[in-house]
Amino acid sequence: MKEKQAMIIPPYLNPGDKIRIVSPAGKVKEEFVLPAVEWLLDKGYRVELGRHVFDSHFQFAGTDQQRLEDLQTALDDSETSAVICSRGGYGTVRIFNKLEYDGLFRHPKWLVGFSDITVLHAGLNRNRMASVHGVMPRYFLNSDGLPGESLQSLMQILAGGGASYAVPASAGNRQGQATGELVGGNLSIISGLQGTGYELNTDGKILFLEDINEFLYHVDRMMLQLKLSGKFEKMAGLVLGNFTDMKDNDSPFGKTISEIILEAVAEYDFPVCFDFPAGHEQKNLALVFGKKWELNVTGQESVFKCPADQ
């Protein structure tokens, strides 16, 4: 599948730039966001909260219309340099197809989030704009109130510093080298977008996947769905993040997460990296979707990097 245009890389952030925080999915408490706001202000950024960021409508942060209004306003704002989602949960898929991108194309800006925010990453990738899979405000700071490695990696990427991560070898890894544009996010969300105009194009690309609280047989089904739809046939590489709190039936499925994934990609020869620290864990290293990454999986470690000079 041929991309329709070159990837747009938004301008990198400098102190004094404006960051907006919005809630396009689940509702969130002030106590989980305001410490992050104070940290950003202390670092010299201007911060503006969406009008409905703390609203509550059943499990959502306001009605669909309210969440859409906040997100659209943030994307349209010519003074905003980054839009950070307050949390995931569920609900982004209910509004993202109503977004208009004209304002965003006139004034490109970074969108940050993970989990349910995978919906927005997919939409932006289809529209050829880079975005960041990274930590959201609730997890900016550690229990001691200090920024953790996840936040440090996010701010480094947003400032244009690139990234270079080395992780210990995992028993399930498949050695090799790959270079390609990075796409992906939450496996359940990616699976749910199959057959829509927002399903991922993985040709020549490195795919990143993570998930939480899924049954093992669900993961098996979703991996087979990707395989049967041809997503692995021309892929350059596969990086697996955290698969947190996986569940099994009373009658065991009989395979581990790594076994399920390796079985699904057994007939392909791209490198596979397991246990990359990104997803629903305390350590959630930032990744730029839409930029070119280099993956080198050896018997000693996996090195995953995105040069700063792109």
Side-chain angles (χ1 to χ4, degrees):
M1 184 183 298
K2 187 176 180 180
E3 305 289 6
K4 65 181 181 180
Q5 65 185 55
M7 183 63 64
I8 299 169
I9 309 297
Y12 294 108
L13 270 63
N14 294 295
D17 287 346
K18 183 163 79 169
I19 296 173
R20 281 181 177 261
I21 297 177
V22 297
S23 300
K27 60 186 177 183
V28 65
K29 297 179 180 179
E30 292 185 17
E31 64 195 77
F32 295 141
V33 174
L34 295 184
V37 172
E38 291 301 317
W39 187 88
L40 290 169
L41 290 171
D42 186 62
K43 293 301 177 182
Y45 297 99
R46 294 179 290 147
V47 181
E48 185 168 340
L49 298 178
R51 180 182 175 189
H52 304 288
V53 70
F54 299 124
D55 280 9
S56 176
H57 180 73
F58 298 100
Q59 71 183 70
F60 306 109
T63 64
D64 289 351
Q65 183 58 40
Q66 289 170 333
R67 302 194 319 279
L68 175 63
E69 175 187 308
D70 275 6
L71 183 55
Q72 188 68 67
T73 298
L75 295 182
D76 289 344
D77 184 12
S78 62
E79 296 184 357
T80 292
S81 298
V83 179
I84 301 178
C85 300
S86 69
R87 64 158 295 186
Y90 172 72
T92 310
V93 72
R94 297 180 57 84
I95 64 173
F96 87 118
N97 65 318
K98 299 175 184 177
L99 287 171
E100 297 178 358
Y101 294 99
D102 290 349
L104 180 62
F105 289 142
R106 286 194 297 270
H107 305 283
K109 52 188 65 69
W110 291 101
L111 182 128
V112 179
F114 71 103
S115 192
D116 195 64
I117 309 307
T118 296
V119 174
L120 296 178
H121 291 309
L124 290 176
N125 191 270
R126 276 295 186 178
N127 283 278
R128 309 308 291 151
M129 184 167 291
S131 57
V132 179
H133 181 281
V135 67
M136 295 183 283
R138 179 172 182 175
Y139 304 103
F140 266 25
L141 308 177
N142 293 330
S143 57
D144 57 8
L146 298 175
E149 192 172 355
S150 304
L151 177 57
Q152 292 169 357
S153 71
L154 172 62
M155 300 311 295
Q156 177 175 312
I157 279 179
L158 289 177
S164 182
Y165 305 128
V167 297
S170 174
N173 284 359
R174 195 160 68 192
Q175 297 182 35
Q177 295 180 325
T179 300
E181 179 186 314
L182 182 64
V183 296
N186 182 265
L187 174 59
S188 297
I189 300 296
I190 291 169
S191 175
L193 292 175
Q194 285 290 99
T196 74
Y198 301 95
E199 68 177 88
L200 291 184
N201 174 8
T202 58
D203 292 356
K205 301 180 182 180
I206 298 173
L207 176 64
F208 167 79
L209 297 173
E210 65 83 30
D211 218 323
I212 185 172
N213 202 31
E214 280 290 349
F215 280 95
L216 293 173
Y217 82 91
H218 285 182
V219 175
D220 186 67
R221 180 174 60 199
M222 291 186 288
M223 290 299 296
L224 289 173
Q225 179 192 33
L226 294 180
K227 178 181 179 179
L228 293 171
S229 61
K231 296 303 178 185
F232 302 144
E233 292 180 0
K234 299 179 181 179
M235 225 165 68
L238 178 61
V239 176
L240 290 313
N242 300 314
F243 280 75
T244 303
D245 296 334
M246 292 292 105
K247 301 180 291 186
D248 205 351
N249 300 310
D250 292 337
S251 179
F253 182 70
K255 291 184 174 69
T256 65
I257 282 292
S258 59
E259 288 171 339
I260 289 169
I261 292 169
L262 287 173
E263 183 179 64
V265 302
E267 65 190 72
Y268 311 101
D269 61 1
F270 48 74
V272 179
C273 169
F274 281 94
D275 298 323
F276 185 84
H280 291 78
E281 299 286 351
Q282 185 66 34
K283 188 174 182 180
N284 183 11
L285 299 180
L287 299 168
V288 188
F289 291 149
K291 288 189 70 175
K292 186 174 291 185
W293 285 71
E294 301 170 8
L295 174 65
N296 186 16
V297 183
T298 70
Q300 290 72 46
E301 64 178 4
S302 296
V303 176
F304 198 33
K305 60 183 180 180
C306 178
D309 57 356
Q310 289 188 8

